[in-house]
Amino acid sequence: MLSQMATGFGVAHGRPRRTLLRQTAWAWLHGIALVVTAFAGLTPGAAAKDFTWRLPAGMAPPPMPVNNPMSPAKIELGRRLFFDIRLSGPGYMACATCHKPELAFTDGRKVAIGVTGQRHTRNSPTLTNVAYLSRFGWAQPKREVLEVQLRRPMFGENPVEMGTLGHEVPVLTHIRSNSIYRQLFETSFGDEGGTAAGVISFENIGRAIAAFQRTIVSGDAAYDRFANGDKTALSAAAQRGLRLFTSARLNCSTCHVPPFFTDAIGDVHFHNTGLYNVDGAGRLPGTDQGLANETNMPADIGRFRTPTLRNIKVTAPYMHDGSITSLRQVIDHYAAGGRAALHGKPSPLRSPLVRGFRISANERQDLIAFLESLTDTTFLADPRFRSPY
């Protein structure tokens, strides 16, 4: 396992040691993927005997692997790891660097910046209700679970995020030298039996962070109180905005499906919203072509997963590349049938669902009032999601 690997850049058996590190890391991750495949599906809200879900009214527990039940110790361990900058290779970037709880677990930047200073091509997506999603990131077509998804920010090289690859030994040494970590790992994993019981390993790091992420549930906004029967929870403007949002004319709720306000639950859909058309054939600027980067299919150019609209007021800038700065501009983009159309060059690859619509200034304000009603202030200030350091 990674805990047994040596660091350095020498040569072993004719191969650079860094190559061996990379191969070993991905062998471990592949092993985790096989375990996930063998789970025989996800179960709703599996939990240890001493754990009770704290969920907003009407929210069911998220699905989860049967081999990673929830427990208070595991969640606390995951929270500490999530905010620990020593989990990254150079030791100065945590998961929370790009996913700040007060910003609904986004970072407020146009695009993410990795631990090496590299500017990414994509905006940091919110982790709001992430455990309910069947796909993660902006354009990942393969189904994953959170325990496996962790490999991307930690060990990914294109782009580099946390830069943990090649620094596995010092990361584990830091964790093993901390008495609080040792106790939490033992409490969380020490009774599972087998040779890995209680071991501080990247497998259990992933399981703990995933447990913490499954508690990141938002569902107590003004909209939710209105939907649950409190007809005074929404202003008159927000109620008019809700009617617009669900109307056939605007067609917003087809992709942003309540209550999660995304269609990335279950059988996920990817959409081209007509944001770009740089060559007349629908291409996006630069090398990031959305889902097509994964499938190599021209028809998938510019297609991305639908982000949730929950807490949208605090997650600007918007779109996969952070290229739209305000909700007003987002509405103008969709009203035109895509920003490319707004500039006179509609994308031939845009989804037929993005057909444009007419909207008055007053209606735009009502729609914004509704979108802002999706802000869950209790969630944003919840001490369970704050740094323990």
Side-chain angles (χ1 to χ4, degrees), residues 225-240:
R225 295 190 291 276
F226 179 82
N228 287 327
D230 181 359
K231 300 310 177 184
T232 66
L234 288 187
S235 67
Q239 292 185 45
R240 292 193 298 269

Side-chain angles (χ1 to χ4, degrees), residues 60-370:
M64 58 186 302
V66 295
N67 83 330
N68 192 24
M70 303 287 280
S71 73
K74 191 183 297 182
I75 294 166
E76 175 58 19
L77 173 59
R79 180 173 75 113
R80 287 179 171 273
L81 291 166
F82 187 87
F83 286 94
D84 194 340
I85 61 175
R86 296 289 296 275
L87 206 61
S88 65
Y92 52 82
M93 182 177 188
C95 303
T97 303
C98 291
H99 299 287
K100 303 178 187 296
E102 66 272 19
L103 297 178
F105 293 90
T106 63
D107 61 7
R109 293 184 172 126
K110 182 176 180 180
V111 294
I113 299 176
V115 74
T116 63
Q118 175 189 4
R119 294 181 66 84
H120 296 188
T121 60
R122 294 179 182 174
N123 180 264
S124 296
T126 178
L127 299 184
T128 300
N129 296 332
V130 66
Y132 296 91
L133 301 178
S134 58
R135 305 293 190 279
F136 307 111
W138 281 100
Q140 300 297 336
K142 295 181 180 179
R143 183 181 297 272
E144 292 179 338
V145 294
L146 290 171
E147 287 80 357
V148 176
Q149 188 275 336
L150 180 68
R151 67 188 183 183
R152 297 184 187 279
M154 288 187 67
F155 298 104
E157 294 185 281
N158 185 27
V160 173
E161 295 184 54
M162 297 177 70
T164 309
L165 186 65
H167 299 271
E168 293 87 356
V169 170
V171 168
L172 292 178
T173 299
H174 155 66
I175 294 174
R176 288 171 177 155
S177 67
N178 184 294
S179 60
I180 296 177
Y181 273 141
R182 290 198 302 270
Q183 179 180 351
L184 286 171
F185 269 94
E186 179 61 30
T187 304
S188 299
F189 303 109
D191 62 350
E192 293 186 351
T195 58
V199 170
I200 295 175
S201 66
F202 281 98
E203 177 180 354
N204 286 340
I205 288 171
R207 294 166 77 189
I209 293 178
F212 170 68
Q213 288 178 310
R214 289 192 175 96
T215 69
I216 301 175
V217 177
S218 176
D220 189 30
Y223 161 80
D224 299 293
R225 295 190 291 276
F226 179 82
N228 287 327
D230 181 359
K231 300 310 177 184
T232 66
L234 288 187
S235 67
Q239 292 185 45
R240 292 193 298 269
L242 172 58
R243 289 192 290 272
L244 285 166
F245 184 86
T246 56
S247 69
R249 172 159 60 101
L250 269 61
N251 202 35
C252 307
S253 59
T254 298
C255 297
H256 295 283
V257 185
F260 294 103
F261 292 91
T262 174
D263 59 4
I265 309 294
D267 293 330
V268 68
H269 303 278
F270 298 90
H271 305 284
N272 182 318
T273 66
L275 192 63
Y276 292 106
N277 181 19
V278 299
D279 64 348
R283 277 190 67 84
L284 281 62
T287 59
D288 187 358
Q289 299 300 310
L291 188 63
N293 284 30
E294 301 290 331
T295 66
N296 294 315
M297 297 178 61
D300 286 336
I301 289 174
R303 294 178 68 194
F304 295 93
R305 176 179 64 83
T306 306
T308 180
L309 297 183
R310 286 194 171 273
N311 301 298
I312 190 88
K313 181 180 179 180
V314 302
T315 61
Y318 308 112
M319 316 309 286
H320 76 278
D321 58 352
S323 61
I324 296 184
T325 60
S326 70
L327 289 175
R328 178 186 179 89
Q329 291 173 343
V330 171
I331 294 170
D332 289 345
H333 156 73
Y334 284 107
R339 189 174 61 190
L342 191 62
H343 296 295
K345 294 178 62 177
S347 171
L349 299 177
R350 70 180 174 182
S351 167
L353 296 172
V354 183
R355 55 180 183 259
F357 50 81
R358 299 184 66 178
I359 186 169
S360 69
N362 287 339
E363 287 177 326
R364 185 186 290 105
Q365 288 304 116
D366 290 342
L367 184 57
I368 290 174
F370 166 68

Side-chain angles (χ1 to χ4, degrees), residues 43-56:
T43 61
K49 292 181 180 179
D50 61 345
F51 175 77
T52 302
W53 285 97
R54 288 175 53 189
L55 296 167

